Amino acid sequence: MADVAAAAGVSAQTVSRVSNDYPGVTEATRERVRTAMKDLGYRPNAAARALKRGSFHSIGVVMFDIVSTGNFSILAAVNDAVSEIGYTTALFTPRSRTGASLAGAFKRLDELSVDGAILMLEASPEAPDFVVPDYDSLVIVDSTLANTHAVVDTDQYGATREAVGHLLALGHRTVHHLAGPAVSYSAVRRARAWRRTLVQAGRRVAEPVYGDWTAASGYAAARTLLRDQDCTAVFCANDEMAVGLMRAAAEFGLRVPDDISVVGFDDIPLAAQLPVPLTTVHQDFASVGRTAVDRLMRIIRTGETVPGADLLPAHLVTRASTAAPPH
C-alpha cells in the first residue's frame, strides 16, 4: 500500500479509501491510485480486510443431496444471489444425515470463517442423535424447525390442495397418490395435504404408493396403482415420478388423459415438452434460494435471528395430462 501511495503521490489512507470504494476521493485521484495499483500489481489482502471489518464476505451452504432437481436449482440461485452482493459460497455435502456428520460440516464452516450458513434439510435424520448445531447466523431450507429457526420453504400444503382439488373438480371420484420417500419433509407435507383434501371432500382415500423421486420408481409404482380399476387420476409427488407413471400407463394401454389423468409437482423444464404436456405444480426454486440469502443477510447485519417460516407461493400449471374421467 505504501508503494502504491508513493507512486500515486497520495497518502496510504487515500489508497485504502480507493481500495474499499469509500467516498471522499476525487475522481482524478481515484483514477491515479487505480493506475498505480494496476502498474504495481497491487491486490488488497482479503484475510486482513476480513479481520479489520469483522466480516469474511462468505457464506456456507450445507446440503445432503446435490443431484436432485430442486436442490441443485436452489443452490444455483443461492450462489447467484451471494455473488451479486460480493460474497462467495463454501459448499459442504455431509455423507449421512447424522448428528456427527452435520456437526463435522459446521466445524469446517467455522474453520473457514464464514459469516453465516444455509442448511438445506430436506429429509428427516438417519439417527436419533441428529441435532442442528447452535449457529449464530443460520437459515434452514425445507424443514419443520420453524419454531426454533429461520426457515424458508414453498407452500407445499396449499399447492397440493390446489392440485388435488383440480382433479376432483374435473369429476374424478377420488385421486390416488404416488408419494415421495417417507423420510422427505416435502413428501410428507404433500401426502398430508392430499389426504386432507380427499377426507374433507368425503372421497375414498386409497393407500399411497411410494417412490424415491426417480422416473424409474414412478414406472415401478404404476404396476400397483394401475391395477386399481377406480384409479382414474393420480397426483404424483414430483414430475420425474409422473414421467415414469405415464410411460407405464402407455405400456398398459391406457391413454393420458383419456383413461387416466396425471398431475406432477415441481414444473421441471421437461414437463412442458412431454408428448402429453404435464399438468403440474410450479414452485419457484430460484425464489427459495434468493429468499434464503436475503433472510440470512438480515440476520448477519442485525445479529438477531427471528424464528418462523417464509412460505413462498406455488401454483398449478394446467396442461394436457388432465381431463374429465372416462365414462
Side-chain angles (χ1 to χ4, degrees):
M1 187 178 290
D3 292 339
V4 172
V10 298
S11 67
Q13 183 180 14
T14 299
V15 175
S16 177
R17 296 183 74 83
V18 173
S19 175
N20 289 285
D21 202 25
Y22 289 158
V25 181
T26 66
E27 191 57 38
T29 300
R30 195 180 297 274
E31 187 60 33
R32 197 162 67 248
V33 171
R34 287 172 178 163
T35 299
M37 287 179 175
K38 182 177 180 181
D39 292 343
L40 296 174
Y42 171 79
R43 288 181 307 204
N45 186 300
R49 291 172 113 183
L51 289 172
K52 183 176 180 179
R53 67 177 177 245
S55 172
F56 297 90
H57 276 208
S58 177
I59 69 165
V61 176
V62 179
M63 57 193 304
F64 299 94
D65 175 11
I66 196 173
V67 299
S68 70
T69 300
N71 282 3
F72 184 81
S73 300
I74 293 171
L75 175 62
V78 167
N79 192 60
D80 288 344
V82 300
S83 296
E84 289 173 5
I85 59 175
Y87 275 60
T88 58
T89 306
L91 174 64
F92 292 88
T93 54
R95 292 183 176 180
S96 61
R97 292 183 181 86
T98 62
S101 184
L102 186 61
F106 275 87
K107 181 179 179 182
R108 288 286 293 126
L109 288 180
D110 282 334
E111 292 171 353
L112 288 177
S113 301
V114 299
D115 297 316
I118 293 173
L119 171 61
M120 297 180 64
L121 192 60
E122 76 283 352
S124 56
E126 298 171 355
D129 68 341
F130 187 90
V131 177
V132 175
D134 187 11
Y135 207 75
D136 289 338
S137 300
L138 176 66
V139 171
I140 304 178
V141 174
D142 195 359
S143 170
T144 58
L145 300 176
N147 289 335
T148 55
H149 293 78
V151 171
V152 176
D153 197 3
T154 297
D155 182 10
Q156 315 278 350
Y157 193 87
T160 296
R161 287 180 65 88
E162 182 184 3
V164 177
H166 164 70
L167 290 168
L168 294 179
L170 288 172
H172 295 275
R173 289 185 294 180
T174 190
V175 177
H176 288 61
H177 185 33
L178 174 47
V183 297
S184 165
Y185 294 129
S186 295
V188 169
R189 282 193 286 271
R190 293 169 196 175
R192 187 179 298 134
W194 157 79
R195 185 181 297 275
R196 179 74 171 170
T197 305
L198 292 182
V199 169
Q200 288 184 336
R203 308 302 176 88
R204 181 174 79 90
V205 181
E207 282 302 309
V209 178
Y210 292 90
D212 62 6
W213 298 128
T214 65
S217 70
Y219 177 82
R223 294 184 175 277
T224 300
L225 285 167
L226 300 180
R227 285 197 184 100
D228 187 337
Q229 294 184 352
D230 288 337
C231 182
T232 62
V234 181
F235 167 61
C236 302
N238 80 334
D239 290 345
E240 292 179 41
M241 292 194 298
V243 169
L245 176 77
M246 291 168 74
R247 176 195 161 199
E251 293 182 3
F252 273 60
L254 298 174
R255 296 164 300 168
V256 176
D258 297 340
D259 300 313
I260 186 167
S261 290
V262 180
V263 173
F265 203 110
D266 287 340
D267 196 17
I268 61 176
L270 177 65
Q273 308 303 324
L274 295 170
V276 179
L278 179 65
T279 295
T280 183
V281 172
H282 176 85
Q283 59 172 333
D284 193 340
F285 295 119
S287 290
V288 172
R290 289 184 172 276
T291 301
V293 172
D294 289 344
R295 189 159 183 186
L296 179 60
M297 294 310 301
R298 290 199 302 270
I299 294 172
I300 292 171
R301 293 183 185 118
T302 65
E304 297 181 1
T305 301
V306 179
D310 284 341
L311 285 183
L312 304 186
H315 63 276
L316 187 70
V317 178
T318 305
R319 299 193 179 104
S321 67
T322 53
H327 295 292

